[in-house]
Amino acid sequence: MTRTPATRPVTVPVTVRGTVLGAGRPKVIVPLTGGTVPALLDQARDVVAAGPDLVEWRVDHLGPGGAAPGDAAPADVVAAGRELRAALGGLPLLVTIRTAAEGGLAAVADADYVAVYRAVLEAGLADLVDVEVMRDEATVRTLVDLAHAAGALVVASNHDFDATPPQEEIVRRLLHMADRGADVLKIAVMPHDPGDVLALLAATWEASGRTERPLITMAMAGTGVASRVAGGAFGSAATFGTVGAASAPGQVELGALRAALAVVHPG
């Protein structure tokens, strides 16, 4: 008996500086975590030479002029961003303020969170911005509107560094991001065993059948490496690799990651 597959929505890809998210082999994003402008530009030089598909700038690591990481003023972020943008050439740039609540270094109030992103967007530095979807609803709405008005895409995100929520909760969070107006939906979870990785991958497959938005999903740490390599088979549009320092546990060096992706996603 032949089984007729259920109709699934087709992912509508988004294109950033010629890089397509949501079609073809999963794209590789490499983070920059320099705490000073010279360190940031040194990292950028190595990353550009390695040739990833996108670059993520972790602004929460920036602490120019002796400031603590995550305390950089909007003007300092813009100044650093202008130098970084020039160093990256045509590579797409995802700008991220990862807060302490989601595993980052910035303990930042909503008003300050918006102020930094507003400055970055008004300066035209970001192709995409990461917005933590669990923040205040009005804050998320403001940032989505600001980004779209500036011609930037929104990667809505959620990170659980303690555990892996149940499959249905992961799906709910991803679909909630779409409801908030995000262009790309991202979730990262911490697995405690292979069953948690399976839950993440199953949720990715289910969510990709319920939304047209590109997804980026991953299970972290060593247990979750399989999700970073094979997530595309379940609907994940991108994965994070490293050139130098990692920004999250379980990220794979860029060359090794690309070799693995070529095996899992030939052609």
Side-chain angles (χ1 to χ4, degrees):
M1 179 177 177
T2 302
R3 179 183 175 187
T4 302
T7 301
R8 296 172 58 86
V10 176
T11 298
V12 177
V14 297
T15 302
V16 186
R17 292 181 181 258
T19 295
V20 181
L21 286 171
R25 186 177 295 170
K27 304 308 182 288
V28 178
I29 306 170
V30 170
L32 296 173
T33 57
T36 65
V37 174
L40 183 65
L41 297 179
D42 283 346
Q43 282 188 343
R45 184 165 47 251
D46 292 340
V47 168
V48 169
D53 298 301
L54 299 94
V55 173
E56 179 186 40
W57 179 22
R58 283 287 300 273
V59 174
D60 54 295
H61 283 252
L62 186 67
D71 287 344
D76 291 330
V77 174
V78 168
R82 291 191 195 281
E83 293 195 57
L84 175 60
R85 181 76 270 173
L88 293 177
L91 280 175
L93 179 61
L94 165 63
V95 177
T96 297
I97 305 169
R98 182 66 61 238
T99 66
E102 300 215 10
L105 301 183
V108 57
D110 285 337
D112 296 325
Y113 187 74
V114 171
V116 174
Y117 274 134
R118 184 190 299 273
V120 166
L121 289 164
E122 289 180 349
L125 300 176
D127 298 303
L128 312 96
V129 292
D130 179 296
V131 177
E132 293 175 353
V133 76
M134 295 302 187
R135 294 191 77 91
D136 173 72
E137 183 175 354
T139 296
V140 174
R141 186 183 309 114
T142 294
L143 288 172
V144 170
D145 290 345
L146 284 172
H148 288 163
L153 299 179
V154 174
V155 179
S157 69
N158 177 238
H159 303 75
D160 191 329
F161 275 76
D162 296 320
T164 298
Q167 177 180 333
E168 59 270 21
E169 174 61 14
I170 296 173
V171 173
R172 187 196 70 78
R173 293 183 192 182
L174 289 167
L175 298 181
H176 176 62
M177 295 171 191
D179 290 341
R180 289 289 188 95
D183 303 288
V184 181
L185 322 177
K186 178 194 174 193
I187 193 164
V189 301
M190 182 62 71
H192 293 293
D193 56 43
D196 285 342
V197 181
L198 289 174
L200 180 279
L201 293 173
T204 304
W205 177 246
E206 181 180 347
S208 69
R210 295 173 61 181
T211 180
E212 296 178 343
R213 312 289 173 88
L215 310 177
I216 302 175
T217 69
M218 68 216 70
M220 295 181 282
T223 303
V225 167
S227 70
R228 295 184 181 274
V229 173
F234 299 85
S236 184
T239 186
F240 285 74
T242 64
V243 175
S247 64
Q251 289 177 353
V252 181
E253 187 274 329
L254 178 60
L257 180 58
R258 278 208 161 132
L261 289 173
V263 173
V264 179
H265 308 279

